[in-house]
Amino acid sequence: MKTLLTEDQLHQGIVQLSEKIQSHYQNKSLTIVGVMIGSVVLLADLIRLLKTPLRVELVQARSYRNGARPGPLVINADLLSNNIQGRDVLLIDDIFDTGKTLWELIPQIDELNPTSIRTAVLLRKLGQCKLDLTPDFIGFDIPNEFVVGYGLDYNDLYRNLPYVATLEPSDMKDKG
Ligand code: 5GP
Ligand code: MG
């Protein structure tokens, strides 16, 4: 395992991310929708840096990964507990890779008639997205490597690492 972003770098990047979000929304009231499970660490840090009045909601997107390989995507938006009709919605995800998750999630959220939908991600893998979609707010651009930590998992492990690391083939065996 090799550290890609240290705790300090993550903190600085998330402060900058929060400033971009804050200056976009000013003091408008927001609904932040975190995509479980990977975004929960970012969500917890980010909302404490935002001064705008906000509500927090969660949806789940699971790609039934087999280790580092993605499988079919299943989205569960039934977890939304409050009406988002007429709200400004900010979707938060850990990482933007092929873009498929947000590409499929945005229309489902849109059906609930929010006033606006924007997207924020901690990481964007460069060169992976073939779709006409770019997150509105991005923490870091990273190379096309499989990363873990700060919410991101490999076989449900490593989410608790306070930094982001790339996994090497020797790390990709059954652990835990
Ligand atoms: P996309 O749908 O944009 O291809 O991928 C987004 C989702 O795939 C993320 O929310 C995350 O769950 C997963 N993912 C993509 N790349 C990585 C990676 O490098 N590491 C981990 N742990 N998950 C990833
Ligand atoms: Mg995810």
Side-chain angles (χ1 to χ4, degrees):
M1 199 179 297
K2 227 171 80 191
T3 303
L4 182 68
L5 295 164
T6 64
E7 267 189 88
D8 275 358
Q9 287 171 320
L10 282 171
H11 178 70
Q12 282 170 30
I14 291 156
V15 168
Q16 284 171 11
L17 187 65
S18 74
E19 287 168 355
K20 285 186 249 170
I21 293 169
Q22 188 72 50
S23 81
H24 176 82
Y25 289 103
Q26 301 292 333
N27 282 324
K28 262 200 209 161
S29 164
L30 259 191
T31 296
I32 293 204
V33 178
V35 181
M36 288 212 288
I37 301 172
S39 75
V40 296
V41 182
L42 171 65
L43 188 67
D45 282 347
L46 187 63
I47 59 173
R48 286 177 292 170
L49 292 166
L50 293 172
K51 310 273 180 296
T52 191
L54 59 86
R55 294 179 185 165
V56 178
E57 297 280 346
L58 294 166
V59 292
Q60 187 177 29
R62 273 203 75 105
S63 56
Y64 293 101
R65 285 174 168 255
N66 175 13
R69 268 179 299 129
L73 182 70
V74 177
I75 288 174
N76 182 357
D78 296 345
L79 296 169
L80 289 174
S81 56
N82 278 299
N83 201 340
I84 57 167
Q85 182 169 4
R87 302 277 301 171
D88 288 298
V89 167
L90 178 63
L91 290 173
I92 306 269
D93 207 358
D94 49 1
I95 186 165
F96 185 87
D97 182 15
T98 64
K100 201 171 161 228
T101 304
L102 290 181
W103 182 262
E104 295 197 11
L105 186 55
I106 290 168
Q108 293 195 29
I109 297 292
D110 198 37
E111 272 181 26
L112 304 171
N113 296 318
T115 301
S116 70
I117 306 174
R118 296 273 185 288
T119 55
V121 296
L122 177 67
L123 309 171
R124 173 176 62 171
K125 272 192 207 173
L126 287 174
Q128 286 299 98
C129 182
K130 311 276 184 292
L131 304 166
D132 183 17
L133 177 67
T134 309
D136 297 288
F137 308 100
I138 297 167
F140 301 89
D141 280 323
I142 62 164
N144 181 22
E145 287 181 82
F146 192 79
V147 291
V148 294
Y150 199 77
L152 291 138
D153 75 304
Y154 172 68
N155 283 348
D156 281 322
L157 291 174
Y158 304 120
R159 294 191 199 275
N160 55 320
L161 296 180
Y163 50 88
V164 170
T166 55
L167 276 197
E168 287 160 62
S170 59
D171 298 314
M172 303 239 192
K173 293 186 194 123
D174 257 347
K175 299 247 168 90

